[in-house]
């Protein structure tokens, strides 16, 4: 098992000619909170080294808890993938167990791209999918890097699959 990555190839319908068009990992900004927690945990360990050991053990436990939580959150973010293929879109995520949500391209009705001020500054956004049948796990995809390009990629794949009429 690859701890920090996800093997999406085992989820492809290769016999049917399915190929990956885009594999989306979270934007680096989604790691800010775990990194801040880890830094705070390390700072608490330094503080604990300078005070009385009768009190320091509480701070050390808190520091280990923060660093452990930061590591866990980093794993959760790194093992979350959103994949666009020539046939469908799917999301796979999970650390100790995995969850796979799939939506055929024919069910994609609308994609809303939300970008906050910071999202525009750092070029990330959130996707909100509306489909013919709302699929759990694919309604919202957060911290997507280059969201405009990725939205256009999905629109092109849907268009090439012949699932929408010509615009014009």
């Amino acid at each position: 098992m690859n701890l920090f990555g996800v093997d999406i190839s085992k989820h492809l319908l290769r016999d049917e000619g399915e190929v990956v068009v885009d594999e989306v990992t979270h934007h680096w900004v989604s790691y800010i909170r775990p990194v801040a927690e880890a830094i705070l945990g390390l700072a608490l360990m330094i503080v604990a080294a300078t005070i009385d050991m009768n009190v320091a053990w509480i701070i050390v436990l808190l520091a280990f808890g923060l660093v452990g939580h930061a590591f866990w959150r980093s794993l959760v973010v790194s093992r979350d993938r959103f994949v666009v293929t020539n046939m469908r879109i799917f999301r796979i995520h999970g650390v100790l167990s995995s969850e796979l949500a799939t939506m055929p391209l024919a069910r994609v009705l609308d994609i809303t791209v939300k970008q906050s001020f910071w999202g525009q500054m750092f070029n990330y956004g959130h996707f909100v999918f509306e489909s013919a049948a709302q699929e759990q796990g694919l309604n919202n995809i957060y911290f997507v890097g280059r969201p405009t390009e990725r939205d256009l990629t999905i629109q092109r794949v849907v268009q090439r699959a012949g699932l929408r009429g010509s615009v014009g």
Side-chain angles (χ1 to χ4, degrees):
M1 178 176 115
N2 182 356
L3 192 60
F4 288 99
V6 177
D7 180 17
I8 62 164
S9 64
K10 66 183 180 182
H11 299 287
L12 296 177
L13 303 170
R14 295 214 187 268
D15 296 346
E16 303 296 324
E18 185 174 35
V19 294
V20 174
V21 175
D22 194 9
E23 180 180 351
V24 181
T25 59
H26 285 284
H27 189 270
W28 63 264
V29 96
S30 61
Y31 288 96
I32 289 175
R33 180 176 274 164
V35 167
E37 281 184 16
I39 290 170
L40 179 60
L42 294 174
L44 285 175
M45 286 184 194
I46 292 169
V47 168
T50 64
I51 62 175
D52 181 53
M53 284 307 289
N54 292 327
V55 179
W57 69 270
I58 296 170
I59 295 174
V60 169
L61 283 178
L62 180 62
F64 274 112
L66 278 171
V67 171
H69 186 260
F71 179 71
W72 180 260
R73 293 298 310 156
S74 295
L75 279 177
V76 168
V77 170
S78 70
R79 293 189 51 83
D80 190 358
R81 295 288 193 280
F82 173 68
V83 181
V84 180
T85 74
N86 60 328
M87 300 169 74
R88 61 190 171 135
I89 57 175
F90 66 88
R91 178 182 180 208
I92 184 163
H93 60 100
V95 178
L96 299 178
S97 61
S98 66
E99 183 175 324
L100 176 70
T102 301
M103 183 186 313
L105 290 176
R107 286 205 178 157
V108 177
L109 297 178
D110 187 33
I111 303 170
T112 301
V113 178
K114 295 183 178 184
Q115 275 191 293
S116 65
F117 171 76
W118 294 111
Q120 292 176 34
M121 293 292 294
F122 294 110
N123 199 19
Y124 72 88
H126 311 302
F127 281 3
V128 179
F129 285 91
E130 291 183 32
S131 70
Q134 289 293 336
E135 302 280 336
Q136 285 293 354
L138 278 173
N139 296 353
N140 297 294
I141 308 294
Y142 299 104
F143 296 107
V144 175
R146 301 183 335 267
T148 304
E149 291 174 40
R150 295 221 153 99
D151 177 45
L152 290 173
T153 298
I154 294 169
Q155 299 302 332
R156 278 188 207 100
V157 170
V158 170
Q159 189 69 30
R160 287 181 186 149
L163 298 171
R164 294 205 182 121
S166 297
V167 179

